[in-house]
């Protein structure tokens, strides 16, 4: 029986972080549940390029993996999927936070966004089995000029730090190459 084994995987856009996480999930030898956080716009708001990106992820995933779409209720999805002798791959926190802070039907963040972040961190702490969490590192550039963009960049940075601190392992992926930031023996030093 596996107690919680949380790995945080971070990198830039098209860095190879999702493919790396998928290799870890496949290599676990356990049943896998993939939790997708993207909210696919429909109708007039449809984005063909974004739909193509999602299609690329779908095509790369093995057909026998379970799939849960959780654009908002990530804590609940993790609670339901995380169990001993199981692997959960969450891809990704970046899109999930965008769904909370930039809902398509509002100019303002969802009023419960902070509570949802807290609920997700708590779900990560109580999760059992292997949990792989993917996110983007977007804070390595200049400070954004717009208030909404600054809020998003700041909150993603805080969320990434929070989940990395909870994680047993953290890996930065750049140019398809994983760089270990935190290993199990380092976990207690965080």
């Amino acid at each position: 029986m596996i107690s919680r084994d949380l790995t945080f995987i971070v990198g830039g856009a098209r860095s190879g972080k999702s493919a790396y996480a998928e290799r870890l999930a496949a290599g676990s030898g356990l049943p896998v549940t993939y939790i997708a956080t993207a909210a696919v716009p429909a109708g007039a708001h449809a984005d063909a390029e974004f739909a193509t990106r999602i299609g690329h992820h779908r095509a790369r995933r093995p057909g026998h993996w379970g799939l849960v779409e959780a654009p908002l209720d990530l804590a609940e999805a993790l609670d339901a999927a995380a169990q001993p002798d199981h692997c959960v791959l969450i891809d990704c926190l970046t899109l999930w936070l965008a769904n909370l802070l930039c809902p398509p039907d509002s100019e303002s963040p969802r009023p419960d966004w902070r509570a949802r972040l807290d609920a997700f961190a708590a779900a990560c702490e109580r999760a059992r089995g292997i949990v792989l969490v993917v996110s983007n590192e977007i804070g390595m550039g200049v400070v954004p000029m717009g208030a909404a963009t600054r809020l998003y960049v700041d909150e993603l940075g805080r969320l990434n730090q929070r989940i990395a601190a909870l994680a047993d392992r953290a890996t930065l992926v750049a140019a398809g190459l994983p760089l270990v930031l935190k290993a199990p023996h380092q976990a207690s030093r965080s």
Side-chain angles (χ1 to χ4, degrees), residues 14-106:
R14 293 292 177 250
S15 63
K17 63 192 175 301
S18 293
Y20 175 73
E22 291 162 4
R23 286 192 304 273
L24 291 178
S28 74
L30 300 173
V32 176
T33 297
Y34 185 101
I35 300 178
T37 64
V40 181
H45 299 289
D47 179 336
E49 184 274 336
F50 191 64
T52 299
R53 284 176 177 255
I54 291 172
H56 178 72
H57 280 259
R58 286 179 178 155
R60 205 172 53 209
R61 283 194 306 266
H64 64 276
W65 285 6
L67 173 65
V68 175
E69 294 180 350
L72 297 174
D73 299 324
L74 189 53
E76 294 85 351
L78 179 57
D79 280 339
Q83 53 190 304
D85 300 323
H86 197 83
C87 180
V88 176
L89 192 166
I90 298 169
D91 198 357
C92 72
L93 295 187
T94 316
L95 294 173
W96 177 62
L97 184 64
N99 297 337
L100 299 177
L101 295 182
C102 312
D105 56 348
S106 175

